[in-house]
Amino acid sequence: MDRWRNKVAVVTGASSGIGAAIVKDLLENGLQVVGLARRSERVTDILKTVPPAKHGNLTALHCDVSDLRSVNKAFDTIIAKFGGIDILINNAGCLKQGQLVNMDINEIQQVLQTNVMGVVHCTQRAFKSMKERNFPGHVILINSIAGHGFKSLPGTPESNMYGPSKFAITAITEIYRQEFRGLGTKIKITSISPGAVDTEILPDNIKKLIGDTMLKPQDISSGVLYAISTLPHVQIHEMIIKPLGEMF
């Protein structure tokens, strides 16, 4: 991790759950961290959990990844302040309950805009920064086991567009790998696919059904740290992390 000390890492969806855990771990490892979130005031709460000496290494910015104008405003601010982006962790996600056959189209669109286009919006800006500086950066996509095969819980499925959006991330990961290589860069791409994680995004009825068989946000952050700590010639392309005994 020494090569990342004082480098700039951008984390989307940084206000809670997996994103907040990643921000904390990156701060503790000496990176300059920019936490992007719609609730940016909650990003600063992370400072309560890290040593005071690290407080100056966190920048919280408002950003709705589904809105290209919001993304461009945030990334313009990052470039102006730090000069570039070295690591991007696409963590922001959206899950809505309901069936595709009858739920509000706007809610379906919100899932797609956040989970798919949000990744595209942020990765374009980060990649541009890395390539212009000829920097061997790293892009992390927080995916899901839902992106590798759909298994429904008992009853009528209520994951609607979430699974397909994560299937898209699985495909996009490989597309980025080939594009990064084809464009002559040494930028790494990693997809991390967790099973059930105890976070705000997971509905209470699902938490009740699966019980204690859940991961913690810190488990996924540990996976991120492992992926970015590999030697320059090593690329962790896909990582699947499941809690022991998971039913999915």
Side-chain angles (χ1 to χ4, degrees):
M1 290 293 293
D2 285 346
R3 72 190 182 97
W4 295 114
R5 191 167 297 278
N6 295 319
K7 298 298 184 184
V8 179
V10 176
V11 182
T12 70
S15 62
S16 65
I18 294 171
I22 293 170
V23 168
K24 179 182 176 182
D25 281 347
L26 293 176
L27 286 171
E28 290 180 345
N29 278 275
L31 283 82
Q32 286 284 345
V33 183
V34 182
L36 303 183
R38 289 179 300 170
R39 302 171 298 181
S40 57
E41 68 282 355
R42 290 185 59 178
V43 177
T44 58
D45 289 341
I46 299 170
L47 295 177
K48 299 174 184 177
T49 65
V50 297
K54 304 289 186 181
H55 288 190
N57 286 9
L58 176 62
T59 301
L61 293 177
H62 175 270
C63 182
D64 178 354
V65 299
S66 69
D67 182 347
L68 181 57
R69 289 174 296 182
S70 180
V71 170
N72 282 334
K73 181 178 179 181
F75 276 78
D76 286 346
T77 300
I78 296 167
I79 297 296
K81 182 172 182 178
F82 296 105
I85 296 144
D86 304 315
I87 295 174
L88 170 66
I89 293 142
N90 285 297
N91 167 73
C94 178
L95 186 155
K96 299 285 186 179
Q97 288 192 282
Q99 283 83 47
L100 276 177
V101 292
N102 55 27
M103 69 185 291
D104 190 321
I105 289 295
N106 290 324
E107 290 196 330
I108 297 172
Q109 186 65 38
Q110 185 180 354
V111 173
L112 281 173
Q113 282 296 120
T114 302
N115 295 358
V116 180
M117 291 310 300
V119 168
V120 174
H121 293 158
C122 295
T123 302
Q124 282 198 350
R125 291 300 307 265
F127 175 78
K128 183 174 185 290
S129 170
M130 294 172 190
K131 189 172 189 306
E132 286 178 346
R133 295 176 297 124
N134 194 31
F135 184 80
H138 203 140
V139 177
I140 303 277
L141 310 182
I142 302 300
N143 195 345
S144 168
I145 58 166
H148 298 273
F150 181 77
K151 292 183 180 180
S152 176
L153 295 170
T156 306
E158 290 199 8
S159 59
N160 51 82
M161 193 54 73
Y162 183 79
S165 73
K166 292 302 185 178
F167 264 83
I169 294 305
T170 300
I172 285 170
T173 303
E174 176 59 16
I175 291 169
Y176 280 149
R177 186 189 71 81
Q178 295 187 22
E179 290 183 349
F180 292 175
R181 175 183 56 81
L183 291 168
T185 78
K186 297 293 185 180
I187 299 169
K188 295 183 184 182
I189 179 74
T190 300
S191 166
I192 298 180
S193 298
V197 184
D198 188 7
T199 65
E200 294 177 5
I201 195 174
L202 198 65
D204 289 340
N205 63 317
I206 296 179
K207 289 182 180 180
K208 183 177 180 180
L209 181 63
I210 62 182
D212 295 331
T213 312
M214 283 191 288
L215 297 163
K216 299 297 183 184
Q218 293 78 11
D219 300 323
I220 313 309
S221 183
S222 293
V224 170
L225 292 182
Y226 173 72
I228 65 175
S229 68
T230 53
L231 294 172
H233 70 285
V234 177
Q235 177 169 241
I236 305 299
H237 183 69
E238 176 66 54
M239 185 186 299
I240 295 177
I241 306 174
K242 291 187 178 186
L244 185 65
E246 184 176 74
M247 67 173 65
F248 298 111

